Amino acid sequence: MSPIRKNINSALEIFNWGFIKMAPANSELLIIHCAWPHAPQSVNKKWRKASASVLEGLYTQWLASQGGNESVPVLWNENATEDVFIFRYALFK
């Protein structure tokens, strides 16, 4: 596991917020967030959207602190499976 990914996973583990896997794909980087804390079914959609928004900001700042381009956002792929969050770090045209 890369040192960068290990450090973010260590931080997520402190809060019991799961872990990430990263994968390059064409001209983007995919961040797959696994084992995120689910909410009760009655509020799960709102909780999922709120959690994804927080994680978008977290990953955008984290990648910028690693030398990434601050103007490149990390965006949640809402069409992904319910079990994981998939974020895309790429310049979108």
Side-chain angles (χ1 to χ4, degrees):
M1 181 180 309
S2 77
I4 293 171
R5 192 170 77 207
K6 183 177 182 195
N7 289 340
I8 193 74
N9 281 333
S10 295
L12 291 168
E13 184 179 352
I14 291 169
F15 300 101
N16 198 25
W17 260 73
F19 60 94
I20 66 164
K21 298 177 182 181
M22 296 188 305
N26 296 325
S27 60
E28 63 188 4
L29 176 67
L30 298 179
I31 300 171
I32 299 108
H33 188 113
C34 306
W36 60 283
H38 291 66
Q41 192 63 29
S42 61
V43 294
N44 198 38
K45 277 192 174 184
K46 289 179 183 177
W47 174 251
R48 182 173 170 76
K49 191 167 244 175
S51 298
S53 294
V54 168
L55 291 169
E56 280 179 339
L58 172 76
Y59 294 138
T60 297
Q61 291 303 308
W62 172 63
L63 288 168
S65 76
Q66 302 296 318
N69 186 335
E70 291 183 25
S71 65
V72 177
V74 174
L75 298 175
W76 174 41
N77 179 1
E78 291 188 49
N79 297 328
T81 176
E82 299 243 345
D83 294 332
V84 299
F85 285 122
I86 298 177
F87 298 93
R88 298 171 62 201
Y89 176 67
L91 256 169
F92 299 95
K93 298 174 183 169

